[in-house]
């Protein structure tokens, strides 16, 4: 499937994403500088991906299959501070035969703090090789383009 023209990730606002979720910040997420540690950003992004990929009401992985990250790029744009919450935007950028590229952004108080692009591959738990996405998964991902 072709890439779809959308607002560039580095300029995106929360409403430019098809899926919205959030994470409540914990004091333990902070570091000595008093802001949320950069390693925590990847964990926050995971919340948005998991809500999409592993929704028990709408499973997307075939039976005996899983989704694995093949590539994750993360750009930090601003600090995130505690206390508060982080809003997570997730959208599909590209759908392949056995993979999906997701774009995500983290926002605190409306300010974009980070952007990420993640390639996720649908794999067989037995063979550990990629397996084509189901028609249902493709349709669901297409709705997020």
């Amino acid at each position: 499937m072709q890439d779809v023209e959308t607002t560039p990730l580095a300029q995106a606002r929360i409403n430019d994403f098809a899926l919205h979720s959030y994470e409540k910040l914990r004091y333990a997420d902070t570091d000595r500088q008093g802001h949320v540690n950069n390693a925590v950003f990847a964990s926050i992004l995971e919340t948005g991906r998991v809500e999409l990929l592993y929704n028990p009401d709408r499973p997307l992985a075939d039976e005996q299959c899983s989704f694995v990250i093949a590539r994750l790029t993360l750009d930090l744009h601003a600090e995130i501070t505690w206390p508060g919450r982080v809003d997570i935007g997730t959208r599909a950028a590209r759908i392949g035969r056995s993979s999906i590229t997701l774009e995500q952004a983290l926002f605190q108080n409306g300010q974009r703090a980070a952007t990420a692009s993640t390639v996720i591959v649908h794999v067989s738990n037995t063979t550990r090789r990629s397996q084509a996405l189901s028609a249902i998964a493709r349709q669901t991902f297409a709705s997020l383009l």
Side-chain angles (χ1 to χ4, degrees):
M1 212 174 239
Q2 290 291 332
D3 295 329
V4 174
E5 187 75 28
T6 59
T7 303
L9 186 58
Q11 298 169 7
R13 296 187 189 128
I14 190 69
N15 291 333
D16 292 318
F17 295 89
L19 180 63
H20 300 163
S21 47
Y22 73 94
E23 191 75 71
K24 181 179 177 185
L25 296 171
R26 302 167 303 162
Y27 178 76
D29 295 332
T30 62
D31 60 20
R32 292 183 61 141
Q33 286 79 36
H35 57 250
V36 172
N37 186 284
N38 59 19
V40 175
F41 284 48
S43 294
I44 295 170
L45 289 164
E46 180 182 48
T47 297
R49 291 191 308 270
V50 167
E51 286 186 12
L52 167 63
L53 299 173
Y54 293 106
N55 180 340
D57 297 329
R58 187 193 61 224
L60 297 177
D62 290 346
E63 195 170 317
Q64 300 302 315
C65 289
S66 302
F67 290 107
V68 298
I69 294 176
R71 180 178 183 171
L72 170 65
T73 58
L74 172 59
D75 294 310
L76 306 174
H77 304 288
E79 289 182 315
I80 294 177
T81 57
W82 176 88
R85 73 180 245 169
V86 175
D87 293 301
I88 308 159
T90 303
R91 68 185 180 195
R94 185 176 189 290
I95 303 168
R97 183 190 73 80
S98 61
S99 66
I100 176 78
T101 301
L102 297 177
E103 291 182 336
Q104 294 180 284
L106 302 180
F107 300 87
Q108 187 175 44
N109 301 322
Q111 181 181 10
R112 187 178 41 262
T115 53
S117 177
T118 310
V119 177
I120 299 171
V121 181
H122 184 241
V123 299
S124 163
N125 294 339
T126 305
T127 67
R128 299 303 223 202
R129 296 216 179 274
S130 65
Q131 182 165 311
L133 294 166
S134 70
I136 292 170
R138 296 179 73 73
Q139 181 180 17
T140 300
F141 293 143
S143 73
L144 299 176
L145 286 170

